[in-house]
Amino acid sequence: MKTTPGQLLDAALRIFALEGVSGVQFWEAHALLAASCPPGLPQIGPVPGVRAWAETMQAGSYPVPLVPFPLQPVAPALIWWHHDDPSAPLRDLLTLRYPAHHLIRLATLDPQGTLRDLVEGTLSTWPELVTQPGDTSLLAVDRLPVNEDQRSADGLRWVMTRLLGPEGCPWDVRQSHADLRSALIEETCEVLEALDTGDMEALKEELGDLLISIFAHSEMARQAGHFTFEDVFAQVTGKLIGRHPHVFGGLVVDGEHQVLQNWEQIKATELAAKGRTRSGALDGVPPELPALATAQKIGKRAARTGFNWTDIDQVWAKINEELDELRAAAASGEPGHIAEEFGDTLFVLTRLAAWLQIDAELALRDANQKFRRRFSQLEATVAAQGYQMHALSLDELIRLWQTVK
């Protein structure tokens, strides 16, 4: 006679000494795995019409995400199954949130509900059970202390509330939003550096450091009564869903151009709902953006209004015109006039970048990285030959530079 779920729960609570413990979670294994990838997410392969990012960018095959995570790690969990052994997918699921050394216990019950075997192990050393036809398997996952829940937003949030709370860090509790501004800029730049170099390990670390700033500002705002972590999450989640009706709603779009058009229309509607409007197409460009990035952003916004050349030959002609004006300004020797014409030339170059469908800011960052790399190689080459840079002529340095290239 097959044991009922209620009988299994009673047996599991007894076997694992969890009787009287509140908040115990009880799942059938296959139902738990199904809950971690609900309808609405692609189960296998790409969504019709749009391939996943990994396939679009040729970064590999698309791995189905295990979201939402169906367990509360800070409470104990009991998982059971009768037939097919789901150990491998269960281990994959649990290691998303639990550390590899986390304790698990496995038990088998015979068809009459009598304990047959009980073993202990960890997620990294998942114990093997010897089962027979008709046996039922039980898995107990011990609760994860909140200070060890380090693989989730909840864990980071707990750390930040502890640092900024009573008996927290004396330095952290004396910081203001303004005090942390420079840290936010620095961490953002370090994220960009990791992206520029393609260093995924560095990117993982720097994104985490960026989260520190986000969570710190959010906890400060919570304590001051301005908004909560939940408000931050709700705002950005709602914004992403609302601005992608072609993904989360029934809107049909014809290509990326229409997506961008809809995006701007939705943003305008959002502003109107807040009682705000933009007086011009260039409003809303963050003043803290780097100058080159600002130039290409305002240039693109102006182009959307129709203020744009009709073909790229006109852009090349404008660049030549600006270069002629820059030469004339340089000949005049007036610093203010030279700076003005130089700025005009840079601005038109960002418009050329738009016509060539490249990011001017990213292109310059790449060029900077390339120059730094080659110059470092040049210095190393000169040093290896027993010279110093200033001791060589320009012709000699250029010859070595060509070798480095």
Side-chain angles (χ1 to χ4, degrees):
M1 179 177 179
K2 182 180 292 187
T3 308
T4 67
Q7 292 171 326
L8 280 177
L9 176 58
D10 291 339
L13 292 174
R14 183 181 66 256
I15 292 169
F16 300 119
L18 293 173
E19 294 172 303
V21 177
S22 61
V24 177
Q25 304 161 94
F26 188 59
W27 280 89
E28 193 278 327
H30 296 92
L32 176 67
L33 292 169
S36 67
C37 193
L41 287 173
Q43 302 295 310
I44 299 176
V47 180
V50 178
R51 300 180 72 84
W53 174 87
E55 295 177 344
T56 301
M57 303 301 292
Q58 297 182 341
S61 59
Y62 173 65
V64 179
L66 300 177
V67 292
F69 195 77
L71 295 175
Q72 289 292 332
V74 293
L78 298 171
I79 306 167
W80 63 274
W81 59 92
H82 279 313
H83 301 294
D84 297 336
D85 183 1
S87 297
L90 271 179
R91 181 164 45 194
D92 291 341
L93 173 66
L94 295 175
T95 51
L96 285 177
R97 287 291 297 275
Y98 296 86
H101 63 267
H102 194 66
L103 177 67
I104 59 172
R105 291 171 287 170
L106 275 172
T108 54
L109 305 180
D110 65 19
Q112 286 70 46
T114 303
L115 178 64
R116 186 191 299 277
D117 192 17
L118 176 62
V119 293
E120 290 187 355
T122 65
L123 289 178
S124 61
T125 60
W126 191 282
E128 296 292 334
L129 278 177
V130 179
T131 60
Q132 299 180 18
D135 282 353
T136 297
S137 299
L138 291 169
L139 169 66
V141 184
D142 283 10
R143 66 176 293 274
L144 184 65
V146 65
N147 62 304
E148 295 183 19
D149 187 12
Q150 298 179 8
R151 299 182 62 83
S152 72
D154 289 340
L156 178 55
R157 177 178 176 178
W158 178 84
V159 170
M160 190 55 64
T161 55
R162 181 73 182 84
L163 290 174
L164 296 176
E167 306 301 322
C169 174
W171 184 87
D172 288 327
V173 298
R174 296 187 65 84
Q175 304 308 300
S176 67
H177 289 292
D179 292 332
L180 296 182
R181 184 179 180 278
S182 59
L184 177 59
I185 295 173
E186 180 180 344
E187 299 303 345
T188 302
C189 291
E190 289 178 351
V191 169
L192 292 174
E193 181 182 5
L195 289 172
D196 290 344
T197 59
D199 188 337
M200 290 297 104
E201 279 299 312
L203 180 60
K204 176 179 66 176
E205 178 180 353
E206 301 306 339
L207 286 174
D209 290 346
L210 186 58
L211 279 178
I212 294 175
S213 290
I214 295 170
F215 274 62
H217 287 290
S218 297
E219 173 59 10
M220 290 175 177
R222 184 194 70 81
Q223 291 190 24
H226 299 306
F227 56 81
T228 67
F229 285 98
E230 288 78 10
D231 294 329
V232 175
F233 298 146
Q235 190 273 339
V236 70
T237 303
K239 176 189 291 185
L240 285 174
I241 292 175
R243 291 186 182 179
H244 292 82
H246 53 288
V247 177
F248 301 103
L251 182 67
V252 177
V253 295
D254 182 19
E256 296 177 39
H257 179 69
Q258 191 175 354
V259 169
L260 294 176
Q261 282 186 328
N262 292 335
W263 182 278
E264 292 300 327
Q265 292 172 358
I266 293 169
K267 284 174 64 177
T269 302
E270 291 172 351
L271 280 174
K274 297 174 184 177
R276 296 160 51 194
T277 58
R278 287 179 176 167
S279 59
L282 306 186
D283 288 353
V285 177
E288 297 298 335
L289 277 177
L292 195 65
T294 299
Q296 63 182 4
K297 197 170 187 68
I298 63 177
K300 286 181 180 179
R301 288 199 178 188
R304 289 174 192 162
T305 69
F307 190 73
N308 197 13
W309 292 283
T310 58
D311 59 65
I312 195 171
D313 288 339
Q314 294 175 320
V315 187
W316 286 114
K318 185 62 177 177
I319 289 174
N320 289 329
E321 176 186 329
E322 294 296 343
L323 286 173
D324 289 340
E325 292 177 357
L326 178 58
R327 290 190 187 95
S332 72
E334 298 178 16
H337 189 199
I338 296 171
E340 177 185 359
E341 296 301 338
F342 189 82
D344 290 347
T345 303
L346 288 176
F347 187 89
V348 177
L349 284 172
T350 67
R351 299 307 306 134
L352 176 63
W355 276 86
L356 295 175
Q357 299 183 345
I358 61 174
D359 186 308
E361 179 73 20
L362 181 58
L364 183 56
R365 290 179 65 88
D366 288 344
N368 290 341
Q369 289 289 339
K370 180 171 64 176
F371 184 86
R372 292 181 63 163
R373 183 175 62 253
R374 289 178 175 176
F375 192 81
S376 295
Q377 292 173 345
L378 174 64
E379 288 179 314
T381 300
V382 171
Q385 294 181 2
Y387 296 104
Q388 293 183 342
M389 294 283 290
H390 66 269
L392 298 179
S393 68
L394 178 59
D395 288 340
E396 290 172 319
L397 289 174
I398 290 176
R399 177 179 55 81
L400 292 174
W401 178 266
Q402 294 298 328
T403 303
V404 167
K405 289 175 60 178

